[in-house]
Amino acid sequence: MHENIKDKIGKIDILPWSQNFATGIAEVDEQHKRLVMLVNRLANALAYGGEFEDLESVFKELASYAVYHFVSEERVWSSVLADDVCADEHRKTHERFVTEVQDIRRNVAQMPPRQAFQKILTFLTRWLAFHILDDDKKIARVIEEIRSGRSKDEAKRLVRDEMNETTHVLLDTLLAMYDSLAGRTLQLIQEATERAKAEHQAQVLLQRNRLLMQSTPEGIHILDENGRIIEANEGFCRHLGYTPEEVLQLTVFDIESLVPPDEIRANLQRLLGGRHALFEGRHRRKDGTLVDVELIVSGAEIDGKSCFFVLSRDITEKKKSQAIFNDLAFYDALTNLPNRRLLSDRLEQSIAASKRQGRYGALLFLDLDNFKPLNDVHGHAIGDLLLVEVAGRLRGCVRETDTVARFGGDEFIVLLAGLATGFETSAEQARLIAEKIAAAIAEPYRLVPDMPSGRVDQAAIEHRCTVSIGAVLFSNDDHSADDLIREADLAMYGAKKAGRNAIRFHVQERRQAQA
């Protein structure tokens, strides 16, 4: 009897394969489809109450998949990203898959078949979503960009910026929806199979899904193909401050204040036919206030008409946290100067700009002279006060378009962008700034240590120091960011050997040697 219901309802694809999962590498995608087929096969057995496969045969199939797929996939990645940390991290995800499958195999040995297969299905669905949507698609995009002519670092940075944030939010939301919907959907189909009433089952699905839509705290609304709101849950109405009746009089153009109408129409058009995407927007509430939101929009079809299912999330607090995270990730905690990571990004941008504009840039590598004795005599707290003061003086010596970064310890880097088009003029400009920096650093310091409340017994410390500076100019050449930092560092050591408190230009020395 359950076969008739299956004919009416159709085969269950709990994890449907679509272009959203495709990496663009045929060999890898074909193997992913094999695991997707196993997931959907298990889902159908659970849904329609069919005979369950032998548990051991499923684990053998998983072992066969892991050995063949992981080796072939790693061969593809290593052909372009050999010895790269990206490929190494990916290998570790494969090792974790094997370990977790072995743990599940031990845990489900004594479980009833339905419970065991439900556990395997949940694990495979979540792992496959993360494996393809996050790890594999990122690496595939990196390889695509490298093959298009980008350097490995450029490709990785581009893909990181393009995918990291949106991918994680999409996975979190989709898997949260899967946790709340997938298991219940399977259960409802099983109930319908047992009663042999497909028509009644469809009504139950509709009613319960509508109840779920209304009970979830996330904002959910449905748009018709013209962007008019045709259904919304209580969470969405609460989010905007409208009554359910008022919401149904609105369109997406009435509530969205960040994205222009033409762009909204173009985005919706691209999602027709079942595609989905993540966007950021800014909703205008009934009282006129604005709130930043994340939107997962999926194209769908209801009663033969195109529509869009939209899940919205308030990200006000997330944006605040992200700003704090960016400060921690890209700025030195002591001096609030850009750190190495941000410096590297800005240096690569400056190199590219110099090539486009035909103007020189310069990199100054600074190391404070005799900094260690100050720390040894007065302690690291006093040394930190000096570093903070030095950072402030460096900022005062350069333009807003230049970058001052703390490289580590008592080492700083100053990046000068957009100098002259001629070498000699640019070198002179860089030298004048370096001399200005050296003079500013050499001015006396008065370092006042922080004291516990009520104590004033420690006097300010008077201190003088100098700086050794190594400089390198760059323009339309093939030197990488690491090359330039290394050359400026070597020039700085030349200044140290010359007696400290000196400036040395690596570019000039190389230029003279070539002459």
Side-chain angles (χ1 to χ4, degrees):
M1 186 179 295
H2 69 270
E3 287 297 328
N4 292 331
I5 295 176
K6 186 174 181 180
D7 290 340
K8 292 181 179 180
I9 299 176
K11 178 175 171 288
I12 296 298
D13 278 348
I14 203 69
L15 188 67
W17 180 272
S18 72
Q19 285 304 112
N20 293 310
F21 286 97
T23 66
I25 299 176
E27 180 181 358
V28 173
D29 289 340
E30 284 302 314
Q31 293 170 31
H32 286 158
K33 289 178 183 178
R34 177 180 168 188
L35 189 57
V36 169
M37 289 172 63
L38 173 61
V39 167
N40 291 326
R41 200 169 74 229
L42 296 178
N44 277 271
L46 286 168
Y48 293 109
E51 294 184 1
F52 289 98
E53 303 175 42
D54 175 67
L55 198 60
E56 193 60 26
S57 69
V58 173
F59 285 111
K60 285 182 179 179
E61 185 171 349
L62 286 175
S64 173
Y65 162 82
V67 170
Y68 177 72
H69 172 60
F70 292 168
V71 169
S72 61
E73 186 178 78
E74 290 169 14
R75 183 177 64 249
V76 174
W77 300 159
S78 297
S79 67
V80 179
L81 296 168
D83 300 324
D84 187 86
V85 65
C86 185
D88 185 59
E89 286 296 324
H90 198 70
R91 281 191 291 272
K92 291 178 182 178
T93 67
H94 291 168
E95 294 170 1
R96 287 194 293 272
F97 175 84
V98 174
T99 300
E100 291 177 17
V101 168
Q102 291 172 344
D103 289 342
I104 291 175
R105 184 178 185 180
R106 286 190 293 269
N107 293 334
V108 304
Q110 304 303 320
M111 290 182 181
R114 178 173 295 280
Q115 184 179 353
F117 277 87
Q118 183 69 62
K119 189 174 185 65
I120 296 170
L121 178 62
T122 300
F123 163 72
L124 289 179
T125 303
R126 296 180 67 84
W127 186 88
L128 189 57
F130 276 103
H131 180 65
I132 298 178
L133 289 176
D134 193 13
D135 293 339
D136 283 1
K137 293 203 77 166
K138 281 183 183 176
I139 296 182
R141 284 283 294 116
V142 169
I143 290 176
E144 179 183 353
E145 291 298 330
I146 291 174
R147 288 174 174 171
S148 72
R150 296 185 187 275
S151 70
K152 182 166 66 177
D153 288 342
E154 287 176 331
K156 290 167 69 176
R157 186 177 67 256
L158 176 67
V159 173
R160 177 199 66 206
D161 294 340
E162 174 183 293
M163 297 184 64
N164 269 9
E165 183 62 19
T166 58
T167 298
H168 284 200
V169 173
L170 180 59
L171 283 169
D172 287 347
T173 305
L174 288 179
L175 290 177
M177 292 175 66
Y178 169 79
D179 287 341
S180 61
L181 290 174
R184 191 58 179 151
T185 299
L186 292 176
Q187 181 180 350
L188 291 173
I189 296 175
Q190 291 157 15
E191 292 172 0
T193 302
E194 293 165 1
R195 294 192 302 269
K197 296 178 181 179
E199 293 81 3
H200 177 63
Q201 180 271 346
Q203 186 62 32
V204 170
L205 279 175
L206 177 62
Q207 293 172 351
R208 295 189 181 183
N209 283 340
R210 191 176 296 276
L211 176 63
L212 181 63
M213 177 176 169
Q214 291 299 332
S215 62
T216 180
E218 301 286 2
I220 297 175
H221 62 285
I222 300 175
L223 304 172
D224 68 12
E225 59 184 342
N226 297 315
R228 185 172 61 88
I229 299 174
I230 58 176
E231 190 168 351
N233 72 345
E234 291 180 6
F236 184 71
C237 296
R238 221 171 23 247
H239 161 72
L240 289 180
Y242 287 101
T243 66
E245 294 75 19
E246 290 172 332
V247 163
L248 297 183
Q249 303 303 313
L250 301 174
T251 70
V252 65
F253 310 107
D254 296 320
I255 64 174
E256 177 55 52
S257 65
L258 178 65
V259 184
D262 288 346
E263 187 175 337
I264 293 175
R265 293 187 184 94
N267 289 337
L268 294 179
Q269 188 66 30
R270 283 195 294 270
L271 298 180
L272 290 173
R275 297 181 180 179
H276 65 263
L278 181 141
F279 303 98
E280 279 199 12
R282 186 169 295 132
H283 281 173
R284 181 183 295 104
R285 290 173 166 151
K286 184 178 180 179
D287 62 7
T289 58
L290 302 176
V291 58
D292 290 315
V293 292
E294 276 174 346
L295 305 165
I296 293 183
V297 186
S298 300
E301 189 174 287
I302 297 178
D303 293 333
K305 296 180 181 179
S306 296
C307 62
F308 303 94
F309 181 91
V310 186
L311 186 146
S312 61
R313 176 187 294 177
D314 185 336
I315 57 171
T316 304
E317 292 304 317
K318 175 186 167 185
K319 279 192 167 290
K320 292 179 182 177
S321 300
Q322 186 176 3
I324 295 172
F325 172 79
N326 286 339
D327 284 344
L328 294 174
F330 298 109
Y331 289 88
D332 175 59
L334 176 65
T335 63
N336 203 34
L337 293 176
N339 60 16
R340 287 193 186 197
R341 181 182 297 179
L342 184 54
L343 168 69
S344 177
D345 183 68
R346 291 187 180 178
L347 180 53
E348 289 180 358
Q349 292 181 31
S350 187
I351 292 171
S354 290
K355 289 182 179 180
R356 289 194 309 270
Q357 299 167 3
R359 290 182 173 274
Y360 279 90
L363 189 74
L364 308 182
F365 198 114
L366 287 66
D367 185 272
L368 300 181
D369 298 327
N370 298 316
F371 176 71
K372 186 175 183 298
L374 177 69
N375 269 343
D376 293 343
V377 173
H378 298 288
H380 289 284
I382 296 299
D384 287 348
L385 289 176
L386 177 65
L387 294 174
V388 172
E389 179 66 24
V390 167
R393 295 186 185 188
L394 290 175
R395 288 192 191 98
C397 292
V398 299
R399 305 161 299 177
E400 289 187 3
T401 55
D402 300 324
T403 295
V404 178
R406 186 183 179 198
F407 197 67
D410 61 336
E411 295 177 334
F412 297 85
I413 283 182
V414 176
L415 173 61
L416 306 175
L419 299 178
T421 56
F423 175 82
E424 299 298 339
T425 304
S426 298
E428 182 60 22
Q429 289 175 331
R431 180 178 295 279
L432 289 174
I433 296 175
E435 291 173 349
K436 181 180 179 182
I437 288 173
I441 299 299
E443 289 291 324
Y445 296 85
R446 189 172 184 273
L447 307 174
V448 182
D450 290 332
M451 299 298 297
S453 178
R455 287 190 58 186
V456 293
D457 55 339
Q458 186 167 342
I461 296 168
E462 303 290 340
H463 181 72
R464 286 180 178 272
C465 75
T466 57
V467 63
S468 297
I469 302 176
V472 60
L473 268 66
F474 57 89
S475 181
N476 190 22
D477 54 33
D478 294 327
H479 282 71
S480 68
D482 289 341
D483 290 337
L484 294 175
I485 292 174
R486 185 166 47 251
E487 290 186 356
D489 189 21
L490 289 172
M492 182 274 294
Y493 275 106
K496 290 279 189 187
K497 291 179 181 178
R500 307 178 192 275
N501 192 22
I503 301 168
R504 289 291 182 271
F505 274 74
H506 185 91
V507 169
Q508 285 187 332
E509 293 168 0
R510 184 176 65 196
R511 197 174 163 87
Q512 291 167 358
Q514 291 173 345

